[in-house]
Amino acid sequence: KLGQTILYINGIEVASDTSGSIVDASKFTIGRGASDSNYFKGEIDEVRVFNSALTDAEIHRMVYQELDDSNSFNSGKIILQDVSAGIGARLVKYYKMDGYQDDILDDKKTAVKDVTGAKIYNVKDIYFQRAPLPYQTISDGDWTNASIWLHGNEWDIMSKQNNPDDASIVHIKHNVNLDGSYDTHGMVGLIVDASKEFSIKENKGLYNSWYLKIDGKIDLENESQLIQGNQSVLDVTSAGTLERDQQGTQDLYTYNYWASPVGISNTTTNNNSYKLPDVMKDGAI
C-alpha cells in the first residue's frame, strides 16, 4: 500500500507502519538489515520482488504455493488459475534459494541460469523443504492430529482456527474429520481426492475464498456449512459430491424451508439444473 510498510505472517496482515521508507539506493540484499552485523537468523525458502504493491488477495493466493514459470508466473503450481491479471509481469526477481551455481543464486525470471548477480555469502546449507506447500494429509484421522499431516511436527495445525481469511491451501488425500472446540476454519484453496471423505462436524463453518477441487466427498454434518466467498470457484472438472445433513422441526406452528445449493455432478460445467428428488434424500440412503 502506498506510504505503508505492512507485515504479513502466513499471508495474514499483523502489523503496519506509515513512518520511514523502504527506498534504498544501496545494493539489494536478502537477509541483512542496515548494519553489516544485523543478519537474519533462520531459514528462507523463497524471495519474490514485485515492482508494485500486492493486494491482500494476491498475497493470500501466493504465500502457500510456488509460482509457475510455465504460465509466465501468473499462477501457482498447486492452483492452476491466475492469481490476478498480469501479476507475472509485475514480478521482477524470483529466487527459490535451492537453485544456484557456485555461489550465485538463479533468478527464475531470467531465461538462462545466472552466473553473475545475486551472490550467496556465509551460507551453503540447503535443507529439504518442510513448509506446507500445500498442507497435505498422509493418513486418515482427525484434523487436529499432527501425525496425519506431512511434516505436521514442524508447525501447529491447531493455530489455524477461527480464521475465515486463512491463506492456506489444503489437500485432503485421506479420510479426515474436522472437529474441535473452534467454530470456523478458512482457506484459500481446498482439494479433496477421489474416494476420500472430508467430514465437517459439530456445527462448523468451512470458509473458502478462492478455489475448490472436489473429486471425493465433503460431508457437512449437523448444522455445518460450506461458505464460499464471492471469488470462490469450483473447478469444473470436479467429479465429487457435497452432502448436507439437514434437520427440521415438526409441529403445528413451524415450517421448514429447505433448498439445495448444488446441482447434478458434471465434470465440464457448473450450476447445472436438477430436480429435487435428484439431490435431496430422506436420510435413509
Side-chain angles (χ1 to χ4, degrees), residues 76-87:
K77 288 192 172 183
I78 306 301
I79 299 177
L80 304 179
Q81 61 185 32
D82 287 359
V83 170
S84 62
I87 193 169

Side-chain angles (χ1 to χ4, degrees), residues 194-224:
S195 77
K196 305 306 176 184
E197 182 172 315
F198 186 25
S199 299
I200 319 300
K201 299 179 179 295
E202 299 299 330
N203 309 326
K204 307 299 179 187
L206 180 66
Y207 288 80
N208 181 272
S209 63
W210 189 35
Y211 178 81
L212 284 171
K213 179 72 163 70
I214 307 173
D215 288 326
K217 177 180 177 181
I218 295 180
D219 185 9
L220 301 170
E221 300 186 15
N222 297 313
E223 297 299 324
S224 293

